[in-house]
Amino acid sequence: MSEPRSIVLYDTQSQTKLPFEPIEPGKVKMYICGVTVYDLTHIGHARVYVFFDTVKRFFERAGYEVCYVRNHTDVDDKILARAEETGVDPLELSAKFIDEMDRDMDALGLDRPDIEPKVSDHIEEIIEMVQTLIDKGFAYESGGDVYYRVESFDGYGKLSRRKLEDMEAGRSGRVTETDLKEHPFDFALWKGDTSEDSLGWDSPFGRGRPGWHIECSAMSMRYLGDGLDIHGGGRDLIFPHHENEIAQSEAATGHAPFAKYWMHVGMVNVAEVVDGEAVERKMSKSLGNFWTTRDVLGQYHPEAVRYFMHTTVYRNPITYSMDNLEEATCRVEYLYFTLDRIDRALKRAGYDLENPPPERAVQGPLKDLIEPFEDRLDAALADDFNTPNALALISELARASNECATCKGGPDEATCYAMSRLRAHLLTAGALLGFLRRDPTIALRELRDLRLKQKDLTAEEIDEMIVEREQARAEKDWVRADQLRDRLDELDVEIMDSPEGTTWRIRGARARQC
RNA sequence: GGCGGCGUAGCCAAGUGGUAAGGCAGGGGCCUGCAAAGCCCUGAUCACCGGUUCGAAUCCGGUCGCCGCCUCCA
């Protein structure tokens, strides 16, 4: 970005868009809640991390130095339960799923966060913080556990704007009452566990392990200090997780706000039939309606998955469906075909793609598209990361690119120069959103191979028929050529004849189009 | 019961005070041996009712429908 632009982002707590003003000039301190690593990640997790990857990249483009921390919760009851079931050591189990998550997030092309702390490496900080809370009267020991006293914190409920009374008056039977707690909404900072063979650490309050929320407070402050710029995660973390983090952190440090901006990503929904009725519900482990990132990447190209994620603004729910993923796949394919066309046209004209000519003003009808493009792209993303608007801009670019690359008689010098600028813009936008990052030939092959796999076809058998048809065409045997094309068509293979030869592709699973 | 959100063309989806981005599908055209790809043209007054305003999809009130959170959850 040529000059500092004001980035506006929606803050959950104030329920409004605010101009981003860093605590330390030029720096962004960002903590994003990671996952509890007892299983493969699902596509809902992926949405959150794809989004914040783009947030991070955009801040960097805007000239900020970003410190991105994302934790792994590797000590948790669910991990213990899963470890018990499978007879594995809990920390080995979580280590395995951290690796699996890395594999999936790498495949999606995410940059690794700068710091990825684990609970098991920060027990000391956690114990220290719990002790501080006890000392200050915000927490109490009870039956070997330590609980946070929600009524001691004035601001309790300020993020999720709910009152303790309202929640108590709410759905009966939902809140678990325990003799150990002073108030039903008090939550565990430390869970006592005296059995020697379970995962635990010695502490001033006895042997045990941390409760759920404390780790994020302890680890975020360990790496980013008492005040962070951005704290984020999925919408479902607003209550109780983030609410509790605020209560703990601000109580412990006496410093407010704990986080200046709270950003929450909408849920991934999935359409299902429940009791004979079509409904759309949040994807979740407990409902059992989730798709793992691994499964999805087996079916769809990672860049198509990212494209799909960007079709809806991050705060709204998005529907995971075959149709939506297919459409995203088609768009990514279209963009790569476009890039491929530009590259070929430019190479034919003697352009060196690695060393584009020095920038100069564009003349003619494309001027108004090319010159202000990056400014418009930045404006879209600076407005609370409006990725659908960014995609709309990319569509305009691609259309113009195709027009240039396929113009009759071949592009002239001015058109070639315009194309090289369009190409650069496409790549810039793609780099921010996470696609168009491969060589078009490679990407198109990857896309093709996934479809071949879907249709249970091999490239060889198709190529054979293509060669046969080319021969028929060379002999102007149109009847035979068309017969072969019809046969291929039945296999959902589409043929594209061009002066450079015949290429083909597989139609997507979505109907007979695309 | 409390808190939050959503309802925009056949479908997906931006836009939150000045006469509705983009994509998919459909229709018409250019190109093509014919196709496909690509390009061009083509569609909505914004759930409903009432109000504020010179002017509202956009603000206020109400109605209906859907979803999320209040329990582990990204």
Side-chain angles (χ1 to χ4, degrees), chain A residues 282-339:
Chain A
K282 166 188 169 183
M283 181 181 291
S284 79
K285 286 271 165 102
S286 47
L287 290 172
N289 59 354
F290 61 92
W291 294 81
T292 64
T293 309
R294 189 66 51 83
D295 280 346
V296 172
L297 289 175
Q299 279 182 278
Y300 301 102
H301 191 94
E303 296 196 355
V305 176
R306 289 192 76 143
Y307 190 102
F308 159 69
M309 304 285 192
H310 292 313
T311 57
T312 301
V313 290
Y314 75 93
R315 288 191 279 129
N316 291 341
I318 193 170
T319 305
Y320 177 84
S321 69
M322 196 180 79
D323 264 14
N324 290 157
L325 267 291
E326 280 294 341
E327 187 169 327
T329 302
C330 288
R331 292 307 291 165
V332 168
E333 190 179 36
Y334 164 80
L335 291 174
Y336 270 116
F337 271 122
T338 301
L339 197 56

Side-chain angles (χ1 to χ4, degrees), chain A residues 71-89:
Chain A
N71 68 289
H72 288 119
T73 297
D74 66 342
V75 178
D76 175 271
D77 289 358
K78 283 188 174 157
I79 295 171
L80 298 183
R82 183 64 61 90
E84 176 90 11
E85 277 168 34
T86 52
V88 195
D89 175 78

Side-chain angles (χ1 to χ4, degrees), chain A residues 43-157:
Chain A
I43 201 72
H45 300 119
R47 183 188 191 194
V48 175
Y49 306 128
V50 162
F51 172 69
F52 283 111
D53 186 59
T54 288
V55 169
K56 182 209 137 193
R57 290 181 199 207
F58 187 65
F59 271 117
E60 285 176 347
R61 173 173 164 83
Y64 288 95
E65 185 189 320
V66 181
C67 185
Y68 176 11
V69 181
R70 188 183 69 204
N71 68 289
H72 288 119
T73 297
D74 66 342
V75 178
D76 175 271
D77 289 358
K78 283 188 174 157
I79 295 171
L80 298 183
R82 183 64 61 90
E84 176 90 11
E85 277 168 34
T86 52
V88 195
D89 175 78
L91 290 181
E92 269 175 43
L93 181 93
S94 55
K96 171 180 155 41
F97 285 111
I98 288 171
D99 286 345
E100 301 287 9
M101 175 172 174
D102 285 346
R103 194 176 131 194
D104 289 331
M105 297 304 125
D106 287 352
L108 283 168
L110 305 194
D111 290 343
R112 292 275 178 98
D114 299 293
I115 304 168
E116 298 180 85
K118 294 187 292 188
V119 180
S120 59
D121 291 334
H122 296 80
I123 301 295
E124 230 173 274
E125 286 90 337
I126 291 169
I127 289 172
E128 210 172 288
M129 193 168 163
V130 174
Q131 186 61 254
T132 303
L133 288 168
I134 292 173
D135 294 345
K136 290 191 172 183
F138 290 102
Y140 55 92
E141 297 187 53
S142 176
D145 300 337
V146 180
Y147 292 97
Y148 186 90
R149 185 178 278 130
V150 289
E151 287 182 303
S152 67
F153 185 69
D154 280 346
Y156 196 77

Side-chain angles (χ1 to χ4, degrees), chain A residues 268-274 279-284 287-289:
Chain A
V268 174
N269 288 160
V270 52
E272 326 166 71
V273 177
V274 177
V279 292
E280 207 175 272
R281 295 191 300 178
K282 166 188 169 183
M283 181 181 291
S284 79
L287 290 172
N289 59 354

Side-chain angles (χ1 to χ4, degrees), chain A residues 276 419 511:
Chain A
M419 252 194 295

Side-chain angles (χ1 to χ4, degrees), chain A residues 290-475:
Chain A
F290 61 92
W291 294 81
T292 64
T293 309
R294 189 66 51 83
D295 280 346
V296 172
L297 289 175
Q299 279 182 278
Y300 301 102
H301 191 94
E303 296 196 355
V305 176
R306 289 192 76 143
Y307 190 102
F308 159 69
M309 304 285 192
H310 292 313
T311 57
T312 301
V313 290
Y314 75 93
R315 288 191 279 129
N316 291 341
I318 193 170
T319 305
Y320 177 84
S321 69
M322 196 180 79
D323 264 14
N324 290 157
L325 267 291
E326 280 294 341
E327 187 169 327
T329 302
C330 288
R331 292 307 291 165
V332 168
E333 190 179 36
Y334 164 80
L335 291 174
Y336 270 116
F337 271 122
T338 301
L339 197 56
D340 191 49
R341 269 184 211 108
I342 304 177
D343 288 0
R344 285 173 196 275
L346 288 176
K347 278 181 198 157
R348 266 199 306 272
Y351 269 69
D352 176 2
L353 297 179
E354 301 304 315
N355 298 292
E359 217 169 275
R360 61 173 201 253
V362 173
Q363 303 300 327
L366 288 174
K367 184 181 173 214
D368 291 343
L369 175 63
I370 293 173
E371 298 299 348
F373 177 78
E374 295 210 1
D375 206 48
R376 291 210 289 155
L377 176 70
D378 291 335
L381 292 174
D383 179 16
D384 197 32
F385 307 96
N386 192 317
T387 53
N389 277 157
L391 292 183
L393 293 169
I394 290 171
S395 291
E396 287 181 27
L397 276 191
R399 214 186 314 134
S401 302
N402 281 310
E403 196 182 348
C404 290
T406 59
C407 70
K408 252 193 156 174
D412 58 18
E413 206 284 323
T415 307
C416 281
Y417 175 69
M419 252 194 295
S420 74
R421 292 285 301 278
L422 289 167
R423 179 180 192 275
H425 286 160
L426 279 170
L427 295 180
T428 298
L432 280 170
L433 300 178
F435 47 78
L436 293 183
R437 302 171 82 199
R438 290 157 157 80
D439 179 274
T441 315
I442 293 170
L444 288 169
R445 177 166 303 252
E446 289 171 345
L447 286 158
R448 194 192 75 175
D449 288 347
L450 279 164
R451 292 231 173 101
L452 282 168
K453 199 172 88 181
Q454 269 178 6
K455 307 272 180 191
D456 202 22
L457 292 169
T458 66
E460 289 69 32
E461 55 189 306
I462 291 164
D463 280 332
E464 261 174 50
M465 291 168 75
I466 297 287
V467 169
E468 222 180 309
R469 178 172 168 278
E470 293 224 275
Q471 204 161 1
R473 289 187 75 224
E475 294 161 9

